């Protein structure tokens, strides 16, 4: 089995609260096992340019409680090119990095898979507020972001109730409605609009009318950004026009991406960070960490990425050919279960938000 001397750790893609806790766990676990740690700054950009520093135990002191990422993050298109990859490999050679833990979303995992194919074993850790990685129940950062959204909607509700208004709230989530769904259910919203379920605008408008007739004064409609940025402002105007209820629009955007990580995010970040290092040192690379039904596990990156494509209905021609019939069936069952979970949450919001 490969003996590791030095590993790298990086954060990439959109930052997420809890990334620091993961960096700390990776660093401390590796050092505990006698392996040196190189901090790679600005994700794959730093790997290309050599923006790298050796970490000691004290370098990750006092970060477990901070949002953002102390390693900084970046989106690095150059890394997707053959030249970018060659530079990244050269950096690994220069700094004697013989394995990497990459913390980020599915783009980050694709980069980690490519690096592994080029001889640098990698393990991915899912961190993005969107929770849009199908292979894990939760990504690092989702809990903090959703709690922030809940707090902000609670505040809006106070003023909504006082003035008998409607507030349309757009929350982040480029490709997944999880932040919208979870926060809508937890705040008792009147309606939710997500890319996973077709929207019937007239149904929502009729529901607002109906619940007002039953004495309701606050109307919160939570919209996921995944349905398009033009939707919410236009829908706000339509609600006001067709119900006569004053409507206001608020876009929470990046505000919910920062802040002190919650207990839950710190725990999964720490557990995934520790386990990622153990897996790497045990010779298991090209994998990503996941939480499934409360357990911290790992799964092959290619399997995870294809599962994600299947769930998001983005499978490419021939993408399934690398998998056995049994694996495909398991993936299909998993996607069906997740789709059902979303449906059920959507229905609960509709049924209870009166
Ligand atoms: P996230 O990791 O949150 O999904 P991005 O999609 O922006 O965020 O990906 C982060 C970085 O990962 C990109 O800037 C790029 O450097 C790398 N990356 C993304 N997609 C690929 C890909 N298909 N192949 C190799 N690297 C990729
Ligand atoms: O990290 C995920 C995310 O916050 C999405 O919800 C959002 O669409 C995107 O990143 C915003 O990206 P940027 O930070 O580049 O504006």
């Amino acid at each position: 089995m490969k003996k590791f001397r030095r590993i790298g750790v990086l954060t990439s893609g959109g930052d997420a609260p809890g990334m620091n806790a993961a960096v700390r766990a990776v660093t401390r676990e590796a050092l505990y096992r006698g392996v040196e740690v190189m901090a790679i700054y600005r994700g794959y950009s730093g790997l290309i340019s050599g923006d790298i520093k050796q970490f000691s135990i004290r370098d990750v002191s006092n970060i477990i409680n901070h949002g953002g990422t102390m390693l900084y993050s970046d989106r690095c298109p150059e890394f997707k090119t053959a030249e970018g990859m060659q530079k990244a490999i050269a950096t690994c050679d220069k700094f004697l990095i013989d394995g990497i833990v990459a913390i980020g979303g599915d783009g980050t995992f694709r980069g980690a898979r490519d690096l592994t194919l080029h001889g640098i074993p990698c393990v991915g850790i899912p961190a993005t507020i969107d929770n849009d990685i199908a292979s894990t129940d939760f990504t690092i950062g989702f809990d903090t972001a959703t709690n922030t959204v809940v707090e902000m909607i609670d505040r809006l509700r106070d003023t909504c109730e006082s003035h008998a208004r409607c507030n349309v709230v757009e929350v982040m989530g480029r490709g997944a409605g999880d932040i919208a769904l979870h926060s809508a259910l937890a705040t008792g919203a009147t309606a939710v609009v997500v890319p996973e379920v077709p929207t019937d605008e007239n149904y929502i408008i009729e529901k607002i009318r109906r619940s007002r007739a039953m004495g309701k004064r606050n109307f919160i409609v939570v919209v996921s950004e995944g349905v398009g940025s033009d939707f919410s402002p236009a829908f706000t105007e339509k609600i006001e026009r067709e119900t006569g209820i004053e409507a206001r629009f608020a876009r929470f955007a990046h505000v919910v991406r920062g802040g002190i990580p919650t207990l839950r995010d710190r725990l999964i970040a720490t557990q995934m960070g520790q386990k990622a290092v153990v897996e790497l040192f045990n010779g298991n690379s090209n994998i990503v960490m996941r939480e499934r039904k409360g357990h911290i596990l790992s799964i092959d990156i290619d399997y995870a990425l294809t599962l994600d494509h299947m769930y998001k209905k983005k499978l490419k021609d021939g993408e399934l050919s690398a998998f056995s019939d049994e694996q495909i069936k398991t993936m299909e069952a998993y996607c069906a279960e997740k789709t059902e979970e979303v449906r059920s949450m959507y229905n609960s919001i509709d049924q209870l938000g009166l």
Side-chain angles (χ1 to χ4, degrees):
M1 198 191 300
K2 183 180 168 94
K3 176 99 181 76
F4 287 86
R5 282 178 310 165
R6 224 179 216 195
I7 62 162
V9 58
L10 61 82
T11 53
S12 155
D15 66 331
M19 275 183 163
N20 284 325
V23 170
R24 170 183 177 272
V26 168
T27 303
R28 295 251 166 108
E29 184 67 30
L31 292 173
Y32 173 77
R33 290 168 183 269
V35 174
E36 291 177 351
V37 177
M38 303 304 278
I40 301 162
Y41 288 88
R42 297 181 295 110
Y44 293 121
S45 298
L47 191 60
I48 286 176
S49 66
D51 191 358
I52 291 172
K53 178 190 151 188
Q54 185 163 0
F55 260 10
S56 71
I57 283 176
R58 289 277 73 77
D59 285 306
V60 290
S61 294
N62 196 32
I63 64 167
I64 196 169
N65 51 331
H66 291 290
T69 162
M70 57 97 72
L71 293 183
Y72 311 132
S73 194
D74 204 3
R75 308 212 197 253
C76 174
E78 189 189 355
F79 186 70
K80 295 190 202 175
T81 66
E83 279 174 11
M85 178 56 70
Q86 284 319 314
K87 287 186 195 168
I89 298 295
T91 306
C92 290
D93 288 345
K94 179 175 166 196
F95 287 88
L96 305 175
I97 293 171
D98 45 22
I100 289 179
V101 177
I103 304 165
D106 58 346
T108 303
F109 295 166
R110 282 174 212 288
R113 191 246 340 255
D114 291 354
L115 271 171
T116 308
L117 288 174
H118 284 83
I120 306 294
C122 291
V123 175
I125 295 184
T128 160
I129 62 163
D130 291 359
N131 207 37
D132 61 348
I133 298 176
S135 56
T136 185
D137 289 344
F138 295 106
T139 56
I140 296 166
F142 171 70
D143 189 64
T144 307
T146 311
N147 272 292
T148 305
V149 168
V150 165
E151 193 201 324
M152 288 166 75
I153 292 179
D154 285 348
R155 286 167 192 258
L156 274 179
R157 182 192 269 267
D158 290 345
T159 161
C160 250
E161 176 75 18
S162 305
H163 288 265
R165 276 181 184 156
C166 172
N167 250 106
V168 177
V169 175
E170 187 198 271
V171 296
M172 273 190 163
R174 195 166 23 193
D178 286 36
I179 297 178
L181 279 169
H182 286 243
S183 62
L185 189 56
T187 55
T190 306
V192 67
V193 180
V194 289
E196 291 87 342
V197 184
T199 306
D200 184 342
E201 294 183 21
N202 294 331
Y203 175 82
I204 296 174
I205 285 170
E206 187 47 38
K207 187 179 177 196
I208 291 173
R209 282 205 199 98
R210 233 184 329 127
S211 44
R212 182 181 48 184
M214 292 190 294
K216 188 173 176 67
R217 289 177 62 83
N218 66 76
F219 306 92
I220 307 277
V221 179
V222 185
V223 181
S224 173
E225 70 164 330
V227 300
S229 58
D230 295 339
F231 178 88
S232 294
F235 193 43
T236 309
E237 280 177 23
K238 186 170 173 179
I239 290 172
E240 180 160 312
R241 205 170 50 241
E242 298 200 6
T243 63
I245 296 169
E246 262 191 306
R248 298 280 190 273
F249 169 55
R251 177 173 281 141
F252 291 174
H254 295 79
V255 169
V256 304
R257 215 160 80 180
I260 298 171
T262 57
L263 165 77
R264 216 181 175 301
D265 277 333
R266 293 183 202 198
L267 286 182
I268 61 165
T270 300
Q271 291 166 336
M272 285 185 179
Q274 272 196 294
K275 245 187 166 162
V277 169
V278 173
E279 292 279 14
L280 188 62
F281 292 177
N282 283 340
N284 300 322
S285 61
N286 211 38
I287 54 168
V288 289
M289 306 311 296
R290 65 193 302 226
E291 182 182 330
R292 187 68 187 144
K293 301 197 190 293
H295 298 286
I296 304 295
L297 309 164
S298 62
I299 190 170
D300 178 76
I301 289 193
D302 293 301
Y303 187 99
L305 291 172
T306 297
L307 181 66
D308 201 60
H309 274 171
M310 182 184 276
Y311 178 65
K312 292 172 184 161
K313 300 191 173 29
K314 285 186 185 163
L315 276 175
K316 299 199 178 99
D317 285 347
E319 191 172 347
L320 288 177
S321 61
F323 301 95
S324 67
D325 288 350
E326 180 137 5
Q327 283 177 311
I328 294 169
K329 265 197 197 137
T330 310
M331 284 184 195
E332 285 169 349
Y334 182 92
C335 292
E337 197 182 322
K338 258 188 116 65
T339 302
E340 183 46 39
E341 279 165 20
V342 167
R343 252 297 166 193
S344 150
M345 214 171 216
Y346 186 91
N347 290 342
S348 294
I349 294 161
D350 184 38
Q351 194 183 317
L352 302 177
L354 287 165

